[in-house]
Amino acid sequence: MEEVIEKILLTEKQLDERVTEIARQLDEEYAGKKPLMVCILKGSVMFFADLIRKMKIELSIDFMSISSYGNGVKSSGEVKMIKDLDRKIEGKNVIIVEDIIDSGYTMSYLTKMLSARRPESIKICTLLDKPSRREADVKVDYRGFEIADEFVVGYGLDYAGLYRNFPYIGILKKEVYEK
Ligand code: IMP
Ligand code: MG
């Protein structure tokens, strides 16, 4: 375990098993619908790549980059779009793939913005959910794990741009961000 980690919350095996389950569920519910899987950069890259690789139905992918965090551990409530989707989503069955929903501001902003583009449907698939921190109303359609109010890194999630490469999800030592 890396030295900035207090405790491993989700092992590679737990992540793999849960991602497989979500992939099976999406395969069933989206059969014949050719969903457009939207990866929210950068945090969901690992989850996204693993998830779509396990799916067997026809699908397409696109990427969007937004940020609601500076270098801190709390949401600013302000959402900034850094990169929009390449293609139109009108008439498509969109699945937004996110790493974690915390205050909910990011997803609430994003679903409103994308719904205005008239997709056939739009659903949210998040690996992690911290429901105790919710401030904005978000309907989570697919959820990997519910976690407590702790700052986690790894498997795509970062603190100040670091630790995304850890293969597991771990609780970051407080001393790392309370300096
Ligand atoms: P929200 O707008 O507060 O829901 O923030 C969601 C975004 O905050 C996520 O996409 C992450 O980038 C970031 N975030 C929230 N909690 C954590 C955490 O525990 N570790 C790393 N990033 C987090
Ligand atoms: Mg993010």
Side-chain angles (χ1 to χ4, degrees):
M1 177 169 95
E2 331 316 296
E3 67 174 336
V4 295
I5 297 298
E6 181 72 50
K7 185 187 149 198
I8 294 180
L9 198 61
L10 298 163
T11 63
E12 283 186 73
K13 183 164 178 282
Q14 284 174 303
L15 290 166
D16 184 72
E17 285 172 1
R18 188 68 187 117
V19 176
T20 304
E21 284 173 8
I22 300 171
R24 289 292 78 79
Q25 198 183 345
L26 292 174
D27 272 350
E28 272 176 32
E29 292 174 22
Y30 282 86
K33 292 188 174 167
K34 296 192 182 149
L36 171 67
M37 310 288 295
V38 172
C39 176
I40 307 300
L41 297 169
K42 309 177 177 107
S44 69
V45 276
M46 310 271 183
F47 176 41
F48 186 80
D50 286 344
L51 181 67
I52 62 168
R53 213 172 344 189
K54 288 173 188 287
M55 290 174 70
K56 294 185 165 70
I57 58 170
E58 288 190 343
L59 57 82
S60 57
I61 66 173
D62 205 343
F63 297 84
M64 183 177 239
S65 182
I66 47 177
S67 120
S68 68
Y69 268 46
N71 272 352
V73 293
K74 280 215 184 87
S75 181
S76 59
E78 227 174 86
V79 181
K80 192 168 73 176
M81 161 129 51
I82 297 155
K83 183 214 169 289
D84 201 348
L85 297 170
D86 289 343
R87 303 209 172 199
K88 290 213 170 80
I89 61 167
E90 194 175 338
K92 300 227 163 112
N93 292 297
V94 176
I95 304 175
I96 301 173
V97 181
E98 175 64 313
D99 53 356
I100 184 165
I101 302 182
D102 188 38
S103 70
Y105 285 124
T106 310
M107 274 305 107
S108 145
Y109 164 88
L110 197 68
T111 42
K112 271 185 209 131
M113 186 183 69
L114 294 183
S115 297
R117 301 182 188 179
R118 308 197 174 283
E120 171 72 24
S121 67
I122 183 159
K123 289 205 176 173
I124 296 177
C125 174
T126 185
L127 177 67
L128 305 176
D129 189 7
K130 283 187 196 169
S132 64
R133 305 243 316 161
R134 202 70 94 251
E135 286 174 39
D137 197 32
V138 184
K139 183 175 174 284
V140 180
D141 301 287
Y142 304 92
R143 168 193 297 110
F145 302 90
E146 233 183 72
I147 65 166
D149 180 11
E150 246 143 353
F151 199 81
V152 293
V153 295
Y155 195 64
L157 290 122
D158 74 306
Y159 169 67
L162 299 174
Y163 320 127
R164 295 191 196 273
N165 53 315
F166 297 174
Y168 54 81
I169 287 179
I171 298 172
L172 188 64
K173 281 185 183 160
K174 284 216 166 60
E175 66 214 52
V176 178
Y177 55 86
E178 279 177 356
K179 265 185 286 197

